[in-house]
Amino acid sequence: MKFLALALALASLPAFAAQNSSINDLQYVPKAGTLYGDTTLGVLRYSSRDFNGTDEIKTSLTGQILTQRLGYGATEQLFVFGELAYVNTKSKSTGEDETESTGLADVRLNARMRLLDGTERFDLLARVSLSPGDAIEKSNGDSNAYSGGHGLTIGASYGVKTGQSQWAFSGSLTHNLKATTDDKSAGEKIKTDAHNELDLEAAYLGSVSENVFLKSSVAVNFVEEYEDSDDLVSTGTTQYKLGQELQWRMSENLLVRGGYEAILGGSGYNYVFMLYSAGVNYQF
């Protein structure tokens, strides 16, 4: 009954057209009937330092990730889109052979519902992450790109758009369901407990010229402690993110962009993860 009441309440919200909507909005919601897509190629660079007793262990990772999103303006208030990525990375640790992770990543299905539109904007966010199969670790250390488990995310975003500038703050809570890793070298399937993570992000978009923009963002990710079926404990982690992106709005329906994201984390913040990306957004 509570779900039915919520559905009826949402259905009774007044209809409105997206006001002053632009393809590069921080809180993008297209007009009803609009087809949307974006394609992004990312280059990954990762390095970390740790110690096993007095021995220093260095780990490096390089690779690429190709991401495709496709979406549709279901109504003037509701934007739905799916996301799929192909990953190829290689990593090397001190005293160990190089390993490779290759394949499609988890499928993500997203929805953004606009509840307040105008100078101020307020959206509800939802995402379902689906892992088509188990995470697999081969005997030589290579792996696929699946997480081995599904996830559910809910969140909200509030922002303001005035003229050629805008800012937005968003927060989301993800519940990662139990995941399975098929460890071929050990000949067993390892189960990871369900656990939660919290994401917070603040972003600002300002104009460099009429059709050139600079987006800056800061974010933090918290993951709670969890165990696996071998009683190994993954301690809670905190990651800090900083990103910038230069955007060129070539037309009302086409945007070209490039930028970077730096991620700092680990025990004693001993690793740095860099993602350099270039992409294009389009709508019809």
Side-chain angles (χ1 to χ4, degrees), residues 22 24 163-166 205-215 245-249 255-256 258:
S22 176
N24 67 327
Q164 292 283 78
S165 66
Q166 51 187 292
L205 182 70
S207 62
V208 178
S209 63
E210 183 179 358
N211 290 305
V212 177
F213 301 84
L214 181 64
K215 174 185 174 182
E245 183 179 77
L246 188 64
Q247 304 176 348
W248 178 24
R249 189 173 58 196
L255 178 79
V256 177

Side-chain angles (χ1 to χ4, degrees), residues 156-205:
S157 176
Y158 172 78
V160 172
K161 179 178 181 178
T162 56
Q164 292 283 78
S165 66
Q166 51 187 292
W167 61 265
F169 175 80
S170 61
S172 63
L173 178 66
T174 298
H175 180 64
N176 298 302
L177 303 177
K178 289 185 177 181
T180 302
T181 298
D182 188 355
D183 189 338
K184 299 296 186 181
S185 61
E188 66 173 330
K189 290 194 175 185
I190 301 171
K191 305 288 185 179
T192 300
D193 288 345
H195 58 281
N196 300 311
E197 57 183 289
L198 175 68
D199 287 279
L200 302 172
E201 181 182 33
Y204 176 80
L205 182 70

Side-chain angles (χ1 to χ4, degrees), residues 48 50 55-60 91-97:
S48 69
D50 210 339
D55 297 328
E56 183 182 35
I57 300 175
K58 294 182 178 181
T59 301
S60 62
S91 62
K92 180 78 168 63
S93 295
T94 303
E96 297 183 1
D97 294 333

